[in-house]
Structure formats: C-alpha cells, structure tokens
Amino acid sequence: MRCAIGSRECRTLLVAAMFAALPAALSASGFQLVEQNASGLGNAFAGQAAGVEDASAVYFNPAALTRIKGLQIVVSTEPIGVATEFVDSGSRGPALPFGTAAFLPVPLGGAGGDAGGWVPVPNAYASWQAAERWWIGLGVNAPFGLATEWDPSWVGRFHAVESEVRTLNVNPTVAFKVTDGFSLGAGASLQRLEATLSQSVPYGGIAVAAAAVAAGPAAAAGILAQLGGAPGLAREGLARVEGDDTSWGWNVGARLALGEGSLAASYRSKVTHELQGDATFEGAPVFSVTGPLGALGTGINARFASGPAGTEVTLPDTLSVAAAYQMGKAEVLADWTWTGWSSVQTLSITRADGAALSSVPLRFEDTWRAGLGLNYGLNETWLVRLGTAYDKTPVQDEFRTPRLPDTDRIWAAAGFQWRLSKTATIDLGYAHLFLDEAESALPNQDSAQAPPRGDLLGSYEAKVDILGLQLRLSF
C-alpha cells in the first residue's frame, strides 16, 4: 500500500511502525542515551529543555509541549556506531583464590577485537493540544542501554565477555500553560529493563583451591584427580546471567518565555529495578558426591550450579537547566545537565537463597554535561544546526571495567531541517565524539565471593559516530 505524506493511511503506517520498532531498541556502548530525537542531534542536544520544538519534549521537558499546536507525531532513529579496542600493557591471568600466590595455567588470550558495532536507537512521540491551556503527550524510547561484546578468548574474559542492557520506556505526560509565557509539565515512566552479562570462570583453579581451604592438600589432590590431573587446573567455561524487571519513575519540567528567549528546567527521577532471572554455568565440572570427598564435591557442585539469580540497580536521576535565545534568523542554545550516577556503586549478583555469585565494585560518580548549539534559518524550507558539548564519564580509572570502558568525551555535531510542507518536516543529524584514552588498572580479585579474574592492565581506545533521521507530522 502506498501513502501520501499527511494522509490517513500514512499516519496509520507510521504509528504501527513506531511501536513495531521499539521492542528491538538497543543501546550502543554507553549507559545513558541522550539520543532521544534527531532534531536535537545536530545541536549535540544542547539546550533541549528550552529549545526543543517538537513532540520529543515529552522526554526533554514536558512543559515545552505547550509550544505545539494541534496534533503532532514524531518518529526517529539514531544509529550509534562504536569502535572499542583494548591495548594490553602487562595483563596477567587469574591467580588461585583464597589468598594463594600461584597463577592458573590458563592461556592469557588476545586483545579482544572490537567490542562495539552499529546499533539503532529508535524513539517515537505524540503530542495533542486537548484544550486551550492543556496538552497531553506520549513517548516511547530507550533512555539507558549498554552493548559490548569481546572475543570469548580475550585476555579480559574473566572480567567480561558480553554485556547488554536494554530499556523500553513508556512516558505519558501532561502540560499546562499557566500564563502565556510560563508552562509546567509532568509525566510518569513505565520502564522495562533487560540485562545479559557473561564472563569466563576458571572452574579448575577455584575447585582445587576451595578443596584445599576446606579440607587440606589431600582433598585438593582428590579434586584435582577428578579434573584429570594438572591440566584440569586450566579448565574454564562461560557463566551467563540474564534478568529483567519493570518499574516506575517520573519527570517534571518548567519553561519560561522571556522576550526573544526562554529559560527552562527539567528533572527525571531515579528508577530502581530489582532484576530476577537465571545464572547458567557452561562446561562446569561435576564432582563425585560419594566416597570420602562426597560432601566436598557437593559443595563445589553447588558453587557452579545453574539456577535463579538476581540483582538490584538504581538508574540515576537527571537535572537539566537550559536557555534559548532567538537573534533574527539565528537561535543560540545552551544547557548544563547533572546526572546522579553515584546511585550505581556495586554490581552484586546473588542466588535466590541470598548467596553471592559475584560482586564487582563500580563506584560511579555524579557527572555533568554542558552543551552549546546554534540554529540558523536559511529560508522557510531549510534550517542548519551546529553544536558541541563536553560530557564527563561517571567511571573512575581504578574501577573501569570492560563492560563499560567509558571516558570523558567532546561532541562535534551538525545537521539540518527540511520542511517538506506545512505538515511534514524531516531532520537529519550527525555527531562525532572525541573520547579520551581510557585506562584499565583492574587488579586480580581472589576472594571467595568474587571468582578470580586476573590483572587487566592496559587502555581502551574508542570512537563514536551517531546518525539521526526524524520525521515530524503535524495536524
């Protein structure tokens, strides 16, 4: 079926496509996704809380919906291309746990390849002026996400192989024009989070060391014999944890028009997820539960047993203050945005009975982002966008993991808007992110609660490119 832009058939197809695409929403390497429209990409998303001009205001500042007349639908996608590589500078394999000094005879492994790739980030919004001073809106997007995958045999495989976090956020909002120049808005967020984490586990070394601590050298020798002798110390396999949860959050915003300019503030709440799922241990050894080592075998088998598992994570809140000022054909945009990443301190995964599977310190810090943008109208049909931003990472050098090898970055962005008609507008945008080199200085972890992972010493080199395409229909 063909459709003309603005026709009823076309609107129906667009709405159907909008909701069909969203369940596949994934993030690129990075945890918070500011890429929530393509109209702001060309400005590096500078000043969006004040200057957003379409229904994506549902996400950036619901109070700005009062700028939009009638009914409007926005659909967009922002593919993110990430290239991430590890440069080794003296990494070592895992040591035997429980304080012993010996290193396991496992292959050290390679550099890991490129852990990134291209992933689309789709989003969709609708806005409707319900009365003279009332607006309602709906947004469906993916505000957080993470996707890294290293080679299964790489040097850091005991820290991470695959890491994927996906969110789907449904955000109904309402806005009220208090006066002709002052508006307020608020919304609720129903958020779905799914996560998959995997890493290699040195089964052989853990089993022998556990036996030595529990019952002495003779028991360790018995367990080693069941592994097939000394080569069994190098036995390893992939452990995978998958979980999901649905939770609630909220957002509020305000916008004040001042002559040719505007000031705005927007806040999005924390969202706490209690993920429940399963842990699986591929290729784990199974030890005898009979004879003199029976009880010991039972305990070690339980350590590597697949079963229910879960974790809790609190996604951060954000506060953005922004300004926009119109000077003839040019509009200047600026913002400062704070994110409360200190809500993420430790990644602790536990079994259903409360027993710890693993615990990794993350120690995220609160961060800020500052942006500056410019829009210039060439004529009634074409508008050009430019923007830059400085974005700080929540990751500290000494706690940086290969699951999120994040670092500070500078944005350079450009884009344009093409008004096809009074009812249809297309936005295109592009941004390149210049990332600092990210240090890796993770020490070997050898406690009973955290399987040994080895010393991951080196640095990460990354580059990021973002594209954006958006269609806006107004009725």
Side-chain angles (χ1 to χ4, degrees), residues 336-358:
W336 179 86
T337 299
W338 170 91
T339 303
W341 273 116
S342 59
S343 64
V344 179
Q345 290 296 296
T346 305
L347 176 61
S348 297
I349 300 173
T350 60
R351 295 187 181 273
D353 61 1
L357 273 176
S358 69

mmCIF file of all heavy atoms in Angstrom, residues 336-358:
data_model
loop_
_atom_site.group_PDB
_atom_site.id
_atom_site.type_symbol
_atom_site.label_atom_id
_atom_site.label_comp_id
_atom_site.label_asym_id
_atom_site.label_seq_id
_atom_site.Cartn_x
_atom_site.Cartn_y
_atom_site.Cartn_z
ATOM 1 N N TRP A 336 23.176 22.957 30.879
ATOM 2 C CA TRP A 336 24.036 22.236 31.830
ATOM 3 C C TRP A 336 23.168 21.148 32.434
ATOM 4 O O TRP A 336 22.076 21.432 32.962
ATOM 5 C CB TRP A 336 24.574 23.173 32.906
ATOM 6 C CG TRP A 336 25.451 22.485 33.918
ATOM 7 C CD1 TRP A 336 26.792 22.248 33.835
ATOM 8 C CD2 TRP A 336 25.039 21.944 35.187
ATOM 9 N NE1 TRP A 336 27.245 21.599 34.959
ATOM 10 C CE2 TRP A 336 26.194 21.393 35.807
ATOM 11 C CE3 TRP A 336 23.822 21.861 35.853
ATOM 12 C CZ2 TRP A 336 26.152 20.783 37.055
ATOM 13 C CZ3 TRP A 336 23.767 21.247 37.096
ATOM 14 C CH2 TRP A 336 24.936 20.728 37.681
ATOM 15 N N THR A 337 23.639 19.900 32.363
ATOM 16 C CA THR A 337 22.843 18.763 32.830
ATOM 17 C C THR A 337 23.646 17.942 33.819
ATOM 18 O O THR A 337 24.790 17.561 33.547
ATOM 19 C CB THR A 337 22.414 17.878 31.648
ATOM 20 O OG1 THR A 337 21.613 18.653 30.743
ATOM 21 C CG2 THR A 337 21.598 16.681 32.133
ATOM 22 N N TRP A 338 23.034 17.686 34.971
ATOM 23 C CA TRP A 338 23.648 16.880 36.036
ATOM 24 C C TRP A 338 22.987 15.514 36.056
ATOM 25 O O TRP A 338 21.766 15.382 35.904
ATOM 26 C CB TRP A 338 23.459 17.580 37.377
ATOM 27 C CG TRP A 338 23.833 16.758 38.575
ATOM 28 C CD1 TRP A 338 25.036 16.687 39.196
ATOM 29 C CD2 TRP A 338 22.953 15.905 39.344
ATOM 30 N NE1 TRP A 338 24.986 15.845 40.276
ATOM 31 C CE2 TRP A 338 23.728 15.348 40.387
ATOM 32 C CE3 TRP A 338 21.608 15.547 39.224
ATOM 33 C CZ2 TRP A 338 23.179 14.471 41.319
ATOM 34 C CZ3 TRP A 338 21.064 14.665 40.144
ATOM 35 C CH2 TRP A 338 21.855 14.135 41.185
ATOM 36 N N THR A 339 23.795 14.462 36.256
ATOM 37 C CA THR A 339 23.273 13.098 36.345
ATOM 38 C C THR A 339 23.791 12.438 37.616
ATOM 39 O O THR A 339 24.998 12.426 37.872
ATOM 40 C CB THR A 339 23.692 12.261 35.121
ATOM 41 O OG1 THR A 339 23.237 12.912 33.928
ATOM 42 C CG2 THR A 339 23.082 10.863 35.191
ATOM 43 N N GLY A 340 22.894 11.874 38.397
ATOM 44 C CA GLY A 340 23.238 11.299 39.702
ATOM 45 C C GLY A 340 23.720 9.869 39.611
ATOM 46 O O GLY A 340 23.127 8.946 40.212
ATOM 47 N N TRP A 341 24.851 9.663 38.919
ATOM 48 C CA TRP A 341 25.362 8.314 38.706
ATOM 49 C C TRP A 341 25.891 7.656 39.983
ATOM 50 O O TRP A 341 26.173 6.442 39.985
ATOM 51 C CB TRP A 341 26.479 8.340 37.674
ATOM 52 C CG TRP A 341 26.022 8.227 36.253
ATOM 53 C CD1 TRP A 341 26.152 9.159 35.266
ATOM 54 C CD2 TRP A 341 25.364 7.107 35.642
ATOM 55 N NE1 TRP A 341 25.616 8.705 34.093
ATOM 56 C CE2 TRP A 341 25.137 7.445 34.296
ATOM 57 C CE3 TRP A 341 24.945 5.862 36.108
ATOM 58 C CZ2 TRP A 341 24.500 6.572 33.408
ATOM 59 C CZ3 TRP A 341 24.317 4.997 35.235
ATOM 60 C CH2 TRP A 341 24.100 5.359 33.903
ATOM 61 N N SER A 342 26.043 8.407 41.077
ATOM 62 C CA SER A 342 26.509 7.782 42.318
ATOM 63 C C SER A 342 25.502 6.768 42.863
ATOM 64 O O SER A 342 25.802 6.058 43.827
ATOM 65 C CB SER A 342 26.795 8.846 43.378
ATOM 66 O OG SER A 342 25.647 9.616 43.659
ATOM 67 N N SER A 343 24.329 6.677 42.237
ATOM 68 C CA SER A 343 23.366 5.632 42.619
ATOM 69 C C SER A 343 23.865 4.242 42.253
ATOM 70 O O SER A 343 23.341 3.238 42.739
ATOM 71 C CB SER A 343 22.013 5.881 41.939
ATOM 72 O OG SER A 343 22.135 5.786 40.528
ATOM 73 N N VAL A 344 24.885 4.160 41.380
ATOM 74 C CA VAL A 344 25.449 2.872 40.963
ATOM 75 C C VAL A 344 26.821 2.722 41.609
ATOM 76 O O VAL A 344 27.776 3.394 41.221
ATOM 77 C CB VAL A 344 25.564 2.788 39.429
ATOM 78 C CG1 VAL A 344 26.182 1.448 39.026
ATOM 79 C CG2 VAL A 344 24.207 2.972 38.778
ATOM 80 N N GLN A 345 26.942 1.857 42.594
ATOM 81 C CA GLN A 345 28.192 1.675 43.324
ATOM 82 C C GLN A 345 28.779 0.280 43.171
ATOM 83 O O GLN A 345 29.990 0.129 43.058
ATOM 84 C CB GLN A 345 27.975 1.984 44.810
ATOM 85 C CG GLN A 345 27.730 3.453 45.101
ATOM 86 C CD GLN A 345 28.944 4.302 44.759
ATOM 87 O OE1 GLN A 345 30.003 4.158 45.360
ATOM 88 N NE2 GLN A 345 28.788 5.182 43.774
ATOM 89 N N THR A 346 27.943 -0.740 43.160
ATOM 90 C CA THR A 346 28.420 -2.125 43.106
ATOM 91 C C THR A 346 27.474 -2.961 42.259
ATOM 92 O O THR A 346 26.257 -2.785 42.323
ATOM 93 C CB THR A 346 28.501 -2.737 44.515
ATOM 94 O OG1 THR A 346 29.318 -1.917 45.344
ATOM 95 C CG2 THR A 346 29.095 -4.130 44.469
ATOM 96 N N LEU A 347 28.034 -3.844 41.459
ATOM 97 C CA LEU A 347 27.234 -4.820 40.728
ATOM 98 C C LEU A 347 27.344 -6.148 41.477
ATOM 99 O O LEU A 347 28.340 -6.863 41.372
ATOM 100 C CB LEU A 347 27.741 -4.970 39.298
ATOM 101 C CG LEU A 347 27.046 -6.040 38.451
ATOM 102 C CD1 LEU A 347 25.563 -5.739 38.309
ATOM 103 C CD2 LEU A 347 27.711 -6.159 37.081
ATOM 104 N N SER A 348 26.326 -6.436 42.266
ATOM 105 C CA SER A 348 26.308 -7.647 43.095
ATOM 106 C C SER A 348 25.202 -8.573 42.603
ATOM 107 O O SER A 348 24.036 -8.171 42.558
ATOM 108 C CB SER A 348 26.077 -7.298 44.568
ATOM 109 O OG SER A 348 27.145 -6.517 45.062
ATOM 110 N N ILE A 349 25.574 -9.779 42.255
ATOM 111 C CA ILE A 349 24.618 -10.768 41.770
ATOM 112 C C ILE A 349 24.503 -11.874 42.804
ATOM 113 O O ILE A 349 25.516 -12.421 43.266
ATOM 114 C CB ILE A 349 25.064 -11.338 40.418
ATOM 115 C CG1 ILE A 349 25.162 -10.205 39.390
ATOM 116 C CG2 ILE A 349 24.094 -12.412 39.931
ATOM 117 C CD1 ILE A 349 25.758 -10.626 38.073
ATOM 118 N N THR A 350 23.272 -12.193 43.186
ATOM 119 C CA THR A 350 23.037 -13.188 44.235
ATOM 120 C C THR A 350 22.102 -14.276 43.745
ATOM 121 O O THR A 350 21.300 -14.071 42.828
ATOM 122 C CB THR A 350 22.432 -12.530 45.487
ATOM 123 O OG1 THR A 350 21.186 -11.905 45.137
ATOM 124 C CG2 THR A 350 23.372 -11.473 46.057
ATOM 125 N N ARG A 351 22.222 -15.444 44.395
ATOM 126 C CA ARG A 351 21.289 -16.536 44.129
ATOM 127 C C ARG A 351 19.972 -16.277 44.860
ATOM 128 O O ARG A 351 19.866 -15.353 45.666
ATOM 129 C CB ARG A 351 21.897 -17.863 44.565
ATOM 130 C CG ARG A 351 23.134 -18.274 43.758
ATOM 131 C CD ARG A 351 23.575 -19.675 44.148
ATOM 132 N NE ARG A 351 24.768 -20.107 43.436
ATOM 133 C CZ ARG A 351 24.760 -20.694 42.242
ATOM 134 N NH1 ARG A 351 23.602 -20.905 41.628
ATOM 135 N NH2 ARG A 351 25.887 -21.077 41.668
ATOM 136 N N ALA A 352 18.995 -17.129 44.573
ATOM 137 C CA ALA A 352 17.678 -16.967 45.180
ATOM 138 C C ALA A 352 17.724 -17.065 46.696
ATOM 139 O O ALA A 352 16.925 -16.438 47.398
ATOM 140 C CB ALA A 352 16.706 -18.001 44.605
ATOM 141 N N ASP A 353 18.684 -17.856 47.252
ATOM 142 C CA ASP A 353 18.783 -18.010 48.700
ATOM 143 C C ASP A 353 19.644 -16.918 49.350
ATOM 144 O O ASP A 353 19.921 -16.971 50.549
ATOM 145 C CB ASP A 353 19.346 -19.391 49.059
ATOM 146 C CG ASP A 353 20.757 -19.609 48.505
ATOM 147 O OD1 ASP A 353 21.305 -18.693 47.867
ATOM 148 O OD2 ASP A 353 21.309 -20.713 48.717
ATOM 149 N N GLY A 354 20.091 -15.939 48.565
ATOM 150 C CA GLY A 354 20.897 -14.846 49.096
ATOM 151 C C GLY A 354 22.391 -15.050 48.985
ATOM 152 O O GLY A 354 23.162 -14.125 49.261
ATOM 153 N N ALA A 355 22.834 -16.240 48.590
ATOM 154 C CA ALA A 355 24.265 -16.494 48.445
ATOM 155 C C ALA A 355 24.828 -15.661 47.294
ATOM 156 O O ALA A 355 24.199 -15.520 46.246
ATOM 157 C CB ALA A 355 24.510 -17.979 48.186
ATOM 158 N N ALA A 356 26.014 -15.108 47.498
ATOM 159 C CA ALA A 356 26.619 -14.235 46.491
ATOM 160 C C ALA A 356 27.225 -15.044 45.353
ATOM 161 O O ALA A 356 27.932 -16.025 45.580
ATOM 162 C CB ALA A 356 27.686 -13.360 47.135
ATOM 163 N N LEU A 357 26.938 -14.635 44.122
ATOM 164 C CA LEU A 357 27.594 -15.201 42.955
ATOM 165 C C LEU A 357 28.826 -14.393 42.588
ATOM 166 O O LEU A 357 29.879 -14.936 42.302
ATOM 167 C CB LEU A 357 26.629 -15.229 41.768
ATOM 168 C CG LEU A 357 25.728 -16.444 41.626
ATOM 169 C CD1 LEU A 357 24.773 -16.263 40.461
ATOM 170 C CD2 LEU A 357 26.560 -17.702 41.425
ATOM 171 N N SER A 358 28.686 -13.082 42.578
ATOM 172 C CA SER A 358 29.822 -12.211 42.288
ATOM 173 C C SER A 358 29.502 -10.808 42.770
ATOM 174 O O SER A 358 28.335 -10.440 42.952
ATOM 175 C CB SER A 358 30.134 -12.187 40.783
ATOM 176 O OG SER A 358 29.107 -11.536 40.071
#
